[in-house]
Every structure is written in C-alpha cells, then in structure tokens.
Amino acid sequence: EFLANGIRKDDEELDLGPALVAIERDETLAKEGKLRNFPRNLKVNQNAISKLGIEKPPLVQNMQQFQLPTVWMGTSSSDTRFHHDCCDNFVMMITGTKRFTLAPTSDWRTLKPTCVGSKSNLCWANVPHPNAPDRQTAAHKKTMTKVNKIVVDVKPGEILYMPAGWFHHIENLGPTVMVNWWTKSGETIALKKALTDPTY
C-alpha cells in the first residue's frame, strides 16, 4: 500500500513488487483513505530510485536544484488533465508508453487556466482533455483550434524535458511506470505578469 501523495522516508525500503504486479495485470486503482494499491505520485529518495536502475537526468550537474524524484504508476485507463506545473520537469519512462499533449506558455491566455495551491503554482487549463472531442464542449473545441498543440509518445528508455509553465495532458497507452524530476525553482510570477501586462 502506498500513500496517495506520500514521501518515502530515507530508512524505508522501496518494495514495488505488489504494485508492479497490479500494473502488469492492468488492475484498477484501489483507494482506501489515503492509501493506494500502487503509487500515483510517490516521492522517494535517490537510493530507492537507484534500485530501479534509474540514474539522474543526463546533462544535470547539480542535483541540489531538484526536488525528490517521483514514481508514477498507471493503468491503461489513467490520464491527467491539461495543466502546467511551477517547475522544469524531466520525465523518464521505465515501462509502457505515455502520450503527452503539450502547449507552450504563449497559449496561457487561450487556455485561461485556474491556478490552485498555496503558491498558485499548479494551473489547470480550461480544456481538461485536449485529445478527446467527445469529452469537449463547443467552447473547448473552439479553444483547441487556437492552441499550438504538440503530441508526443514517450516510450521506455526515453526522456521528455518540459520547461516550467508548459501545459501538458498525459494519457496512458497501456500500463506504465515513470519517474520524473522537478526542479525547485518556479516561474509562475512571469506567467502571471504575461496575463496582466499586454507588452510582456
């Protein structure tokens, strides 16, 4: 069992065996309070990541600039709504394929996000599912005609780098296991300035 958005302590062993079995069987995510049968968003220490045979992102010299790595597991029915994060993000696929639909920060005004959190650094776009016309209203469809959309499938062994503020929708094309690293710095101030200053 794994905490929904938990952090593994340094002295805890990372036993992903049961979770990997659940993913291999493409089981439904089971929820009991804050517990899950596989990690959806689980921050772990670097020693735990090493046990998975994963190294830090290439070309990165100073890991002090990064948050703890996060392990994500998902079934074929998993997806994440269109949003952007505060920080630069390195996505590393271990198994399975995820389809990322991306849009640059210049689409901020078009996507009119709603930002949440204590620092308003998680921003949900006004179109939750950019690749599913059957789940979009007429207004959503009109918005998507103005978005500079990029679609990329990230496969095992591949890395996707997303700069801070880039919108992304994530869809599993089958069961997946992924690790990502976020930087500690945020760019939300610049994005908010872009909303209020037409010359920015």
Side-chain angles (χ1 to χ4, degrees):
E1 295 179 324
F2 302 88
L3 287 173
N5 292 302
I7 296 178
R8 299 287 296 203
K9 296 178 182 178
D10 288 347
D11 58 352
E12 284 186 309
E13 289 293 320
L14 181 67
D15 181 8
L16 291 176
L20 291 171
V21 170
I23 290 297
E24 187 177 29
R25 294 176 179 168
D26 203 16
E27 293 181 3
T28 302
L29 178 66
K31 303 178 181 180
E32 185 176 338
K34 293 183 178 181
L35 298 178
R36 306 290 183 265
N37 57 331
F38 52 81
R40 285 278 296 144
N41 180 359
L42 181 70
K43 290 192 179 297
V44 297
N45 60 60
Q46 187 58 49
N47 290 335
I49 288 296
S50 298
K51 291 179 182 178
L52 297 176
I54 304 297
E55 299 179 358
K56 68 179 179 65
L59 307 178
V60 173
Q61 303 299 321
N62 183 10
M63 289 304 292
Q64 306 263 332
Q65 298 174 348
F66 284 79
Q67 301 177 37
L68 288 172
T70 305
V71 176
W72 301 81
M73 293 188 179
T75 61
S76 56
S77 60
S78 300
D79 74 340
T80 304
R81 291 165 44 205
F82 215 16
H83 71 286
H84 83 67
D85 301 306
C86 67
C87 312
D88 286 5
N89 188 359
F90 287 83
V91 170
M92 305 175 75
M93 287 303 303
I94 298 176
T95 186
T97 301
K98 285 183 180 286
R99 174 163 294 163
F100 283 77
T101 301
L102 309 169
T105 56
S106 56
D107 284 335
W108 173 276
R109 289 188 179 90
T110 302
L111 290 170
K112 298 183 175 65
T114 300
C115 298
V116 298
S118 60
K119 297 181 180 178
S120 298
N121 53 10
L122 173 61
C123 299
W124 300 100
N126 68 349
V127 181
H129 307 285
N131 288 331
D134 58 321
R135 300 171 74 179
Q136 296 174 6
T137 65
H140 290 161
K141 292 175 182 178
K142 183 177 180 181
T143 295
M144 287 309 301
T145 63
K146 303 173 185 176
V147 172
N148 298 291
K149 185 174 77 169
I150 303 169
V151 179
V152 58
D153 292 346
V154 185
K155 301 173 182 176
E158 296 181 339
I159 298 174
L160 173 65
Y161 166 67
M162 289 184 290
W166 272 63
F167 291 90
H168 49 288
H169 172 272
I170 309 164
E171 176 186 1
N172 279 359
L173 304 183
T176 63
V177 180
M178 180 192 90
V179 173
N180 82 294
W181 278 263
W182 280 296
T183 57
K184 293 179 179 177
S185 60
E187 298 292 341
T188 52
I189 294 174
L191 291 171
K192 288 178 179 176
K193 183 176 180 183
L195 263 185
T196 57
D197 184 354
T199 64
Y200 184 71

